[in-house]
Amino acid sequence: MSLPVIDISGLASSNAADRAAVGRALYEACSTKGFFACVGHGIPQGLMDASLEQTRAFFALPIETKLALHKEQSPANRGYEPVGDQTLEPGAAPDQKEGFYLGDDLREDDPRVLAGTFNAGANVWPSDLPSFRPVMVATMAALRTNVEGIMRGLALSLDLDEDHFDAFVRDPMMTLRPLHYPPVGDGEDPGPGAGAHTDFGGITMLLQDDVGGLEVDDPELGRWVEVPPTKGAYVVNLGDMISRWTNDRYRSTRHRVVTNHSGRDRYSLPFFYTGNPDHVVSCIETCLEPGEEPRYPPIRVQDHMKAMYARTYDA
């Protein structure tokens, strides 16, 4: 599979024609693959490398240190997740990955925390890694800026006003989730790295290391196809929220991470942008063909996310 490669730098241009050109490229990618390789994002290679270095450093910590940061201790679902805790593919074996949940770091007196908004709260941080926090905070800020630019590009791609999604991107839910896929012996098959699934929210930006393992379901070919890592690029895909919004004109495509038989540790760093938790996602009327009805009822972002978390964590 050759992903479309989109240079999104034009979204920051003062020239409307440059922004519109990116919108046209987004339309082609989102209406066919639901995935694209993102370049021109402006995130320094040094920060990309540092985020993977800190990911490796965290997962190299002793298991006792990581378990002391277990996400079950956090009301905001922040912290460490051991191998096998999540099952993304219904009926499949648990995912053979460990992860760490980070999000917008909110104080106890933040209105979103006081209101009990889903997954709103403070991060937990490993005290043994002084560089982990600043690198991850900088990474999250850079990725947030990029996704919000992409949302403006998506508005243009759908012939909407450029600010159409501004309410959705205000005070967003977002998750940065360092992941580690330990190597599995050639004769072993404990389960997939990450089972087949679609992403829950709005936009995902993924940084891969050089091991690989990501595969995307291509219905046109009728098979799973590999998405090899590309240095300096992020893999971007749409989540279920965008699919709902566009009445499936834009695709939220199934993907998976295969069992890690590479003999090497695999690391990745996905950033899940979910949007404002109280925003109601309902079908964009211009995405309907004449006489077509919306396929999905309106739903609040956080209500959708609660249902997805409950399903994949068997709650």
Side-chain angles (χ1 to χ4, degrees):
M1 182 183 190
S2 179
L3 289 186
V5 178
I6 301 180
D7 183 339
I8 66 168
S9 60
L11 293 173
S13 172
S14 59
N15 187 327
D18 294 338
R19 303 195 300 276
V22 179
R24 289 192 296 273
L26 287 171
Y27 179 85
E28 180 63 25
C30 296
S31 60
T32 55
K33 302 294 187 185
F35 270 78
F36 62 92
C38 175
V39 297
H41 45 70
I43 300 176
Q45 186 64 51
L47 181 57
M48 297 170 74
D49 293 342
S51 64
L52 283 174
E53 288 169 6
Q54 290 302 310
T55 296
R56 294 186 190 98
F58 174 78
F59 291 114
L61 292 172
I63 185 62
E64 296 80 8
T65 303
K66 292 183 288 189
L67 287 174
L69 300 171
H70 199 293
K71 67 182 182 64
E72 287 184 350
Q73 303 174 53
S74 165
N77 201 46
R78 307 290 173 80
Y80 177 65
E81 172 190 78
V83 173
D85 263 25
Q86 187 177 43
T87 304
L88 282 168
E89 183 176 358
D95 295 350
Q96 299 303 296
K97 66 181 191 300
E98 57 179 340
F100 194 77
Y101 280 93
L102 295 164
D104 198 10
D105 212 358
L106 303 179
R107 296 171 25 154
E108 291 183 0
D109 60 353
D110 187 282
R112 289 163 287 181
V113 177
L114 295 174
T117 301
F118 182 63
N119 279 358
N123 288 324
V124 296
W125 300 101
S127 60
D128 299 346
L129 298 174
S131 296
F132 185 86
R133 181 172 185 167
V135 167
M136 294 305 174
V137 168
T139 296
M140 220 171 341
L143 289 167
R144 175 180 178 175
T145 297
N146 271 274
V147 172
E148 292 173 357
I150 290 170
M151 291 302 300
R152 292 192 295 274
L154 289 182
L156 292 173
S157 76
L158 294 166
D159 295 323
L160 301 169
D161 291 339
E162 203 165 354
D163 61 359
H164 182 84
F165 295 113
D166 279 6
F168 175 70
V169 302
R170 188 176 302 119
D171 296 329
M173 293 170 59
M174 52 188 180
T175 301
L176 184 65
R177 193 179 179 196
L179 294 172
H180 172 221
Y181 300 82
V184 174
D186 287 339
E188 302 176 44
D189 188 18
H197 64 286
T198 57
D199 286 349
F200 306 154
I203 301 287
T204 301
M205 293 186 70
L206 169 71
L207 177 62
Q208 301 190 81
D209 68 3
D210 61 355
V211 174
L214 175 65
E215 293 186 343
V216 173
D217 185 10
D218 191 324
E220 295 178 0
L221 298 176
R223 60 183 175 87
W224 292 94
V225 290
E226 181 184 0
V227 180
T230 302
K231 190 174 181 62
Y234 282 88
V235 176
V236 176
N237 66 280
L238 307 182
D240 297 339
M241 287 295 170
I242 305 299
S243 184
R244 291 181 72 112
W245 234 329
T246 62
N247 220 39
D248 293 332
R249 177 183 291 190
Y250 282 180
R251 295 185 56 196
S252 178
T253 304
R254 282 202 317 158
H255 51 286
R256 67 185 184 185
V257 177
V258 298
T259 307
N260 184 9
H261 291 299
S262 70
R264 301 166 57 196
D265 292 282
R266 178 186 190 266
Y267 301 92
S268 68
L269 197 68
F271 176 71
F272 303 99
Y273 189 97
T274 308
N276 185 288
D278 291 319
H279 192 81
V280 177
V281 173
S282 57
C283 182
I284 298 169
E285 290 188 8
T286 55
C287 291
L288 296 172
E289 299 293 337
E292 185 181 17
E293 294 294 326
R295 299 178 183 179
Y296 309 98
I299 191 170
R300 280 196 316 167
V301 168
Q302 65 175 311
D303 293 334
H304 171 75
M305 294 301 293
K306 288 176 184 177
M308 294 299 99
Y309 270 67
R311 186 185 73 189
T312 65
Y313 287 104
D314 199 24

